[in-house]
Amino acid sequence: MSEEPTFVDRLHRDLREVRWPEPAELRARARRRSRRTAVLSAATVLVVLAGAAVAVRQLPTGPATPTAPVAAPGSAPASAPVRTEIPLDALLTPADLPTKTGERLGDTGLGEAVRIDPLLESCGRERDVSAQLSVSRASRSQTLLRPTTRAGRPAMPVLSQDVYRIELSRGRWLFGEIDRLLNACAEWTLDASTLAADQQPVATEQEHRWEPAARDFAGDQSVLLRHVASQPLAQTGGKPVGAAATVETTLVVRVGDLVTVVVPAPDTVADRVDGTGPGMSQADLIALADRAAERLCPAADVPC
């Protein structure tokens, strides 16, 4: 009786029957495998990065749930893309102002804090009313200067404007924060050092008052702030020092997720402490706010 072939015998027999691929075929297989490995590695990195981005945006608050099915090609997206950039057309132009302007300076930013009136915010902090003003996703600012009349003489501003793109809920909240500041700072005395006529610093006191001169006259929300700053008085003797009393106006207008802060130069506004002067009246300022709202409309999250 013949002996059963051993394992080694069977292995040698099977190896003789194996057809080994030609060298060219082996190289082709290796190239295909390398490409497939590279694609899978890149896809893995993208999946990891996408998962990390989702994890940062929304941390899980409960048990894991099954992954939602992927939308079929050509189907509508789950939500519209979030707009960030603020176009130049969202700003007022020199033609929107009743006053002639010269050079136009501008800038853009990301993650800038919304600023309404730095002095009003300082008053709020002193009185423990720190307004929770939003941080914008994007911002764009401009300063319109007067036409230059003399070589070498610096041009003075006619108007400054900032436009901020913030979360819609924070935009509505912003006007409540402005009211908190106005309630806390209807009157405020600021101790400061002011330069006298001989350019020597003098310790002074200056009275400041803020009030909302008008509300909800443009866009979705709006307010016209009136700030009266008295002439500084020396703390010793009470003598007037420095510049005369001034009135400053600030327009704040919201359209959707866009908020603009417009500050005309004090001498371009008719409102004066000692009576009405030349410049834009309150009706002109409200018309300017309407124009600013119109400029914001096409760039808002929901164009109007």
Side-chain angles (χ1 to χ4, degrees):
M1 186 170 63
S2 61
E3 296 181 356
E4 289 289 335
T6 65
F7 171 76
V8 174
D9 294 331
R10 290 198 304 269
L11 180 62
H12 281 297
R13 185 189 62 193
D14 292 341
L15 286 175
R16 286 194 299 271
E17 295 176 357
V18 172
R19 188 187 71 83
W20 296 101
E22 295 295 326
E25 183 180 352
L26 288 172
R27 288 193 294 270
R29 288 183 183 179
R31 284 195 298 270
R32 287 195 297 270
R33 182 174 299 172
S34 298
R35 285 196 297 268
R36 187 163 56 247
T37 302
V39 170
L40 288 174
S41 298
T44 302
V45 171
L46 290 176
V47 169
V48 170
L49 290 177
V54 171
V56 170
R57 288 187 175 184
Q58 183 175 1
L59 295 175
T61 57
T65 55
T67 304
V70 178
S75 61
S79 60
V82 177
R83 304 183 70 174
T84 299
E85 183 183 0
I86 300 172
L88 183 61
D89 291 343
L91 298 174
L92 291 166
T93 68
D96 295 325
L97 274 70
T99 304
K100 290 184 178 181
T101 64
E103 191 175 359
R104 183 182 190 183
L105 307 178
D107 195 11
T108 59
L110 295 171
E112 301 286 343
V114 177
R115 286 288 171 258
I116 305 299
D117 182 335
L119 198 59
L120 178 60
E121 294 168 36
S122 295
C123 172
R125 286 191 294 270
E126 183 181 288
R127 297 186 171 178
D128 295 327
V129 181
S130 184
Q132 302 299 315
L133 301 181
S134 300
V135 173
S136 61
R137 296 202 303 272
S139 63
R140 184 182 282 274
S141 61
Q142 70 168 347
T143 300
L144 298 177
L145 302 178
R146 297 184 186 281
T148 54
T149 57
R150 188 186 308 171
R153 183 178 180 180
M156 302 301 292
V158 173
L159 173 144
S160 66
Q161 180 184 17
D162 297 307
V163 177
Y164 304 96
R165 190 181 295 280
I166 60 181
E167 298 297 331
L168 183 58
S169 59
R170 299 298 299 174
R172 297 191 183 105
W173 173 274
L174 174 66
F175 286 80
E177 294 299 282
I178 293 174
D179 285 342
R180 290 180 64 233
L181 290 173
L182 292 175
N183 292 336
C185 297
E187 295 183 0
W188 184 48
T189 301
L190 175 63
D191 294 335
S193 178
T194 306
L195 290 178
D198 59 359
Q199 300 302 305
Q200 295 300 312
V202 177
T204 60
E205 293 182 348
Q206 187 178 29
E207 297 293 331
H208 293 269
R209 300 194 307 273
W210 286 272
E211 63 177 351
R215 292 182 184 274
D216 297 331
F217 45 81
D220 296 322
Q221 287 176 288
S222 54
V223 63
L224 171 58
L225 301 179
R226 184 175 186 266
H227 169 214
V228 179
S230 68
Q231 185 173 15
L233 300 178
Q235 293 182 7
T236 302
K239 182 180 178 180
V241 181
T246 59
V247 177
E248 296 179 350
T249 56
T250 301
L251 294 163
V252 186
V253 180
R254 181 182 71 82
V255 176
D257 65 339
L258 292 177
V259 172
T260 186
V261 180
V262 180
V263 183
D267 60 352
T268 65
V269 178
D271 196 355
R272 301 284 196 278
V273 173
D274 55 358
T276 301
M280 290 183 285
S281 65
Q282 182 167 313
D284 294 330
L285 293 171
I286 289 176
L288 184 64
D290 283 331
R291 185 60 181 147
E294 292 174 3
R295 293 280 185 187
L296 296 180
C297 271
D301 55 344
V302 179
C304 50

